[in-house]
Amino acid sequence: MRAPRDGTRHVVVVGAGPAGLSATRAAVQQGARVTLLDASHQTGGQYWRHRDTPTPTPAEQRLQHQWRVHEVLRDLARTHPRVELRTGAQVWAAEQHDDGPRLHVLVGDVDGHGRTHLSLAPHAVVLATGAHDRTLPFPGWDLPGVVTAGAAQALAKGDGVAVGRRVLVAGAGPFLLPVAATLAEVGATVVGVHEASRPAGLVRGWLPRPWRLAASPGKAVELAGYVAGHVRHRIPYRTGEAVVAAHGSDRVQAVTVARIDERWAPVPGSGRRVEVDAVCVSHGFTPRLEVAIALGASISSSRFVAVDGDQATSAENIYAAGELTGIGGVDAALAEGWVAGHVAAGGDRSDRSLRRAVSRRRASADVTSRIEAAHGIRPGWTAWLRDDTLVCRCEEVTVGRLRTAVEVTGSSDPVSVKLTSRAGLGICQGRVCGRVVSELLGSSSPMQARPVVTPVRLGDLAATPPFAAPGVPQAPGAAEPATAPAPAPLGPPGPPHSPDHDHARARAPHSATTERTHP
Amino acid sequence: MTITVDGAPVTGARGQSIAGVLMADGRRDWRTTSVAARPRGLFCGIGVCFDCIVTVNDLADVRACLRRAQDGDVVTRQHHLLPGADA
Ligand SMILES: Cc1cc2nc3c(=O)[nH]c(=O)nc-3n(C[C@H](O)[C@H](O)[C@H](O)COP(=O)(O)OP(=O)(O)OC[C@H]3O[C@@H](n4cnc5c(N)ncnc54)[C@H](O)[C@@H]3O)c2cc1C
Ligand code: FES
């Protein structure tokens, strides 16, 4: 199947991180017209989060890696006549129709009033929504000053601010290293990096077939740089340890660090107190699946979006790339985005221009399995929970209350336990605690599709134009190639590259009357 | 760039998020939870957890970590008590 290379094929890319930017370039090179959306006010995603200043300081530059790649991709997204870049654009709902996918977008100030509605009906969608930190609960993790490692990274790169003066970094995974390096760079004293995996696990994950790692040069060089940086800044790096409690009245003042065994259960009597004013914790990443689920994409047993060699999901015309499909770091995200954008635009995986991307993707896949082998969460961690430890931060549900709910309902079915305890029913929609609640209940039941991907204000829904402008005409040049799926009319008249302000379909999905509530 | 936080002026750098301005000012919390009246501030840093929500220019539930601070923004602590909450 060949799509024409004349800009009549419309691809929407959700997420302007490394994967989405790379997909945008590939789709444009393949001749498609691209709308690139990101909820934040800049391109770059998590990896290239930056202070928006015309001239970054040398210190800001030191926080970035492969920045030149970002500049090239960003400039293409900003200036290419067939790309429409929209920042501050939150995809808040999505659905599949008989004639193709629909995305509902609010554009404007984050959580502001009077945002503009966009409703898009493209031929294909590339999802590149990335991931967020997984953080296992521990007593005191709700104290201000306890943040995810990603938050510390984002605050340093995006705001130039250190999350604290005396900071401890803990959890599992190679991500702890750049976070510690960044914190030192923005002036914090990093009192230690505590990796839960034990040396044996690290060796198992990282040492076999080291030549393969060398095939992924960007990452290896970057990791080597962190090690050198740690030596320079004299940051202690310890393995087989975890933060098992945070202490303080209204903000964190100290943590207890304990040795943990191979199953991650704390070794009795090994705890020691460390004074800190911030602690950054990450136990890996969990993908931002909401839009993918709403569009009907299958989720794998490891809870990533399942894709084939074309980066195609199980849902028709929906592709996915980057951390959404597995944690492989920036090189994997760039390679996968490249393949996804190329194929979504009608190209073929066997095309010569795709060879480099395909081989890079293979090299990066190896990094992914190494990370899981070396740093994957082990079940013994629940031994550091107490009855009064919060599980659900939004609804302030404790471990004890969750247990009571199981006893009262006589079931560990997550749905009934959630309704009784309210765990997972708060404003974050279970993003933070959902997996932990399932794990504590010993359940592997799949996540639920949510009609509203992101909480929106009732006022914004009410302002959604419910009816079509009279006689919504055919978009210019929207005659469909016979082989391509044929979406309905693509929007109002306008310049050929205008977005699909298709108010005919901007009606909120009718189940979407959820009001944004306070926790 | 200056914003007002619970009545007091706080200066930040252009391009910073509201959370960035508050954190640089030494603040760690800017919300009180509804059930146990506990302080909260930054947690995920990227708009996922909603822990950092704050009232901006009279509009509640704005994620401070994502919202870029604008000169003159009026930021107030958010505390919506649930009926029957213990505090
Ligand atoms: C907070 C954080 C910081 C990180 N920092 C680093 C780092 O410094 N170094 C490193 O090697 N790795 C880092 N990582 C790992 C990182 O995820 C990858 O290296 C890389 O950024 C993945 O690229 P991606 O394109 O898959 O996703 P991302 O870079 O995460 O990009 C996804 C984009 O999608 C957007 N998005 C999500 N949902 C929606 C929606 N509904 N509507 C509109 N837009 C949406 C987001 O705003 C985001 O910009 C970080 C991860 C996190 C969570
Ligand atoms: S800190 Fe999580 S949404 Fe802002």
Side-chain angles (χ1 to χ4, degrees):
Chain A
M1 177 179 104
R2 286 280 157 180
R5 302 175 61 109
D6 57 1
T8 57
R9 189 167 168 87
H10 182 203
V11 176
V12 172
V13 178
V14 184
L21 285 169
S22 178
T24 299
R25 178 172 65 175
V28 163
Q29 285 174 347
Q30 198 53 30
R33 176 167 74 87
V34 177
T35 307
L36 172 59
L37 306 169
D38 199 290
S40 88
H41 46 244
Q42 56 179 215
T43 59
Q46 308 311 345
Y47 190 75
W48 287 311
R49 185 181 284 260
H50 55 282
R51 265 278 301 290
D52 262 329
T53 47
T55 42
T57 64
E60 282 165 355
Q61 284 168 0
R62 275 199 301 279
L63 296 180
Q64 299 292 342
H65 299 267
Q66 304 191 50
W67 180 248
R68 184 75 198 122
V69 178
H70 174 246
E71 282 181 330
V72 168
L73 294 174
R74 175 200 63 195
D75 292 349
L76 176 133
R78 278 182 184 165
T79 58
H80 196 286
R82 282 201 314 276
V83 180
E84 196 200 9
L85 168 65
R86 292 254 182 179
T87 53
Q90 172 86 50
V91 175
W92 66 273
E95 67 224 319
Q96 283 278 17
H97 284 225
D98 293 343
D99 53 3
R102 296 281 190 287
L103 297 176
H104 304 277
V105 191
L106 282 167
V107 189
D109 279 344
V110 170
D111 299 333
H113 252 335
R115 285 185 282 175
T116 312
H117 287 268
L118 263 183
S119 193
L120 303 171
H123 297 89
V125 176
V126 177
L127 297 173
T129 49
H132 61 87
D133 296 82
R134 278 189 83 175
T135 299
L136 299 175
F138 51 88
W141 75 311
D142 52 315
L143 282 170
V146 179
V147 300
T148 68
Q153 187 78 339
L155 192 71
K157 283 182 166 184
D159 295 282
V161 176
V163 72
R165 283 200 200 94
R166 269 180 68 80
V167 187
L168 187 136
V169 179
F175 184 51
L176 304 181
L177 298 175
V179 171
T182 301
L183 280 166
E185 201 68 69
V186 292
T189 300
V190 182
V191 297
V193 177
H194 302 266
E195 161 67 54
S197 299
R198 299 163 65 81
L202 293 175
V203 168
R204 202 162 49 236
W206 291 105
L207 280 193
R209 300 183 303 278
W211 59 90
R212 291 253 200 104
L213 198 59
S216 169
K219 211 70 222 168
V221 169
E222 203 182 310
L223 285 174
Y226 294 131
V227 174
H230 280 264
V231 173
R232 202 173 61 237
H233 295 290
R234 307 222 187 288
I235 299 170
Y237 179 78
R238 292 166 174 279
T239 59
E241 290 190 347
V243 167
V244 296
H247 316 283
S249 47
D250 284 340
R251 55 161 76 184
V252 64
Q253 287 161 331
V255 292
T256 299
V257 175
R259 282 213 315 282
I260 56 174
D261 65 19
E262 243 150 67
R263 299 181 64 251
W264 290 20
V267 175
S270 69
R272 65 175 200 284
R273 214 178 145 99
V274 184
E275 309 286 313
V276 295
D277 63 357
V279 51
C280 312
V281 186
S282 170
H283 298 96
F285 292 97
T286 191
R288 300 178 73 170
L289 295 172
E290 305 87 16
V291 186
I293 291 176
L295 288 170
S298 296
I299 309 303
S300 71
S301 57
S302 50
R303 296 231 171 137
F304 289 96
V305 173
V307 288
D308 64 14
D310 283 341
Q311 300 294 136
T313 72
S314 66
E316 212 176 333
N317 301 312
I318 311 296
Y319 299 80
E323 307 282 77
L324 186 59
T325 65
I327 303 306
V330 66
D331 298 332
L334 288 167
E336 291 167 6
W338 194 343
V339 175
H342 183 91
V343 181
D348 196 286
R349 196 193 339 161
S350 60
D351 289 347
R352 280 182 66 85
S353 62
L354 219 54
R355 269 196 206 153
R356 229 168 75 215
V358 169
S359 73
R360 283 198 190 166
R361 188 175 57 170
R362 204 172 303 125
S364 312
D366 196 50
V367 176
T368 310
S369 59
R370 282 162 188 265
I371 293 176
E372 181 51 35
H375 306 279
I377 292 172
R378 307 281 187 266
W381 69 270
T382 53
W384 69 57
L385 295 174
R386 293 194 323 230
D387 256 11
D388 62 353
T389 307
L390 281 193
V391 176
C392 169
R393 301 169 63 95
C394 299
E395 294 288 313
E396 301 173 74
V397 181
T398 61
V399 171
R401 199 152 119 218
L402 201 64
R403 286 202 184 115
T404 310
V406 173
E407 282 159 24
V408 169
T409 58
S411 112
S412 58
D413 167 44
V415 177
S416 60
V417 174
K418 275 182 190 174
L419 289 174
T420 311
S421 69
R422 297 207 48 79
L425 297 182
I427 192 171
C428 91
Q429 303 181 304
R431 287 178 175 89
V432 177
C433 73
R435 292 182 76 161
V436 164
V437 170
S438 301
E439 261 168 52
L440 291 177
L441 297 176
S443 145
S444 59
S445 75
M447 296 194 191
Q448 288 189 330
R450 293 171 186 277
V452 176
V453 165
T454 290
V456 289
R457 292 173 197 284
L458 199 55
D460 283 332
L461 288 187
T464 308
F467 302 112
V472 173
Q474 193 83 10
E480 297 304 329
T483 48
L490 279 179
H497 306 307
S498 73
D500 305 335
H501 293 270
D502 187 353
H503 289 315
R505 300 188 199 89
R507 194 178 314 152
H510 59 255
S511 47
T513 46
T514 320
E515 189 185 356
R516 180 154 171 200
T517 51
H518 310 296
Chain B
M1 184 205 50
T2 302
I3 66 174
T4 311
V5 182
D6 291 329
V10 174
T11 308
R14 207 161 280 282
Q16 279 180 326
S17 66
I18 287 180
V21 174
L22 295 172
M23 295 288 289
D25 191 47
R27 294 164 195 260
R28 289 295 173 271
D29 66 282
W30 45 85
R31 177 169 80 91
T32 306
T33 64
S34 301
V35 178
R38 296 292 299 152
R40 292 280 176 87
L42 188 78
F43 183 64
C44 76
I46 60 165
V48 171
C49 73
F50 287 79
D51 245 351
C52 66
I53 52 178
V54 72
T55 300
V56 180
N57 305 331
D58 286 332
L59 194 58
D61 295 343
V62 175
R63 283 168 288 177
C65 67
L66 287 190
R67 178 68 164 263
R68 183 174 282 186
Q70 306 278 354
D71 199 36
D73 274 347
V74 177
V75 172
T76 45
R77 187 176 193 86
Q78 189 162 323
H79 185 190
H80 299 277
L81 207 61
L82 279 180
D86 10 320

